[in-house]
Amino acid sequence: MKTFAWHVLILGGFYFVISLLFLLPQNIAIDIADVVISTVFFIMLIVLCFKRKYNFINIFQNKFPRTTNYIAALGFVEYFSVLFITIPSIIYGYQASKAQYNGSEIPPAPAEYLNFIYYTYIAVLCLSIIWATYKIFIKK
């Protein structure tokens, strides 16, 4: 895999692991920290698009090659969730806010889509971890 794509996956994996820490009981400090971490992630992703690689990721890859595969697998899951959960949620939230502001009926959440994406997310998570395990222990 190209270095740029690998670095994008690893950066997403780092964000996935760090964002798990913010699933603790919610309060304002954790919410602010989550927004800051998300902003830093997107800024680092944009900078990576121009820079093409980060030295700290190269060092991490060389020092921990097995862990890097798992981090990259979790990065794939993170980008899947951004594309199919976060972006549609933002669009639905905008439509619901606009409907509430205009005084019209708030559109119902698409339950079938949510169920499908939930099960697909679990499958993508499992398949990503299986891929990383295969790449580390079986494929030589």
Side-chain angles (χ1 to χ4, degrees):
M1 186 180 295
K2 299 280 186 192
T3 304
F4 173 72
W6 198 246
H7 282 222
V8 168
L9 289 176
I10 292 171
L11 187 64
F14 283 142
Y15 176 71
F16 182 90
V17 171
I18 291 170
S19 67
L20 286 178
L21 301 174
F22 296 107
L23 295 177
L24 299 171
Q26 297 295 311
N27 63 31
I28 192 70
I30 291 176
D31 290 341
I32 291 171
D34 189 29
V35 168
V36 169
I37 294 296
S38 299
T39 305
V40 168
F41 166 69
F42 284 112
I43 289 171
M44 288 183 72
L45 185 63
I46 291 168
V47 169
L48 181 62
C49 289
F50 293 110
K51 193 174 179 182
R52 307 304 273 177
K53 68 178 186 174
Y54 281 125
N55 288 334
F56 77 91
I57 293 178
N58 279 336
I59 293 169
F60 186 79
Q61 276 182 299
N62 294 335
K63 203 169 192 179
F64 306 106
R66 289 184 173 186
T67 306
T68 302
N69 288 324
Y70 285 108
I71 295 290
L74 293 176
F76 180 77
V77 173
E78 182 62 34
Y79 291 120
F80 176 84
S81 71
V82 166
L83 286 175
F84 295 107
I85 298 171
T86 305
I87 292 174
S89 298
I90 291 170
I91 293 169
Y92 172 75
Y94 172 74
Q95 291 174 346
S97 297
K98 191 169 81 172
Q100 185 178 14
Y101 179 76
N102 293 332
S104 60
E105 184 177 338
I106 297 174
E112 292 175 8
Y113 175 78
L114 295 174
N115 285 332
F116 176 74
I117 287 299
Y118 173 74
Y119 291 121
T120 307
Y121 179 81
I122 298 299
V124 166
L125 179 64
C126 293
L127 290 174
S128 295
I129 298 300
I130 290 170
W131 170 81
T133 305
Y134 169 78
K135 189 169 178 186
I136 293 171
F137 295 109
I138 297 173
K139 184 179 177 184
K140 296 289 179 179

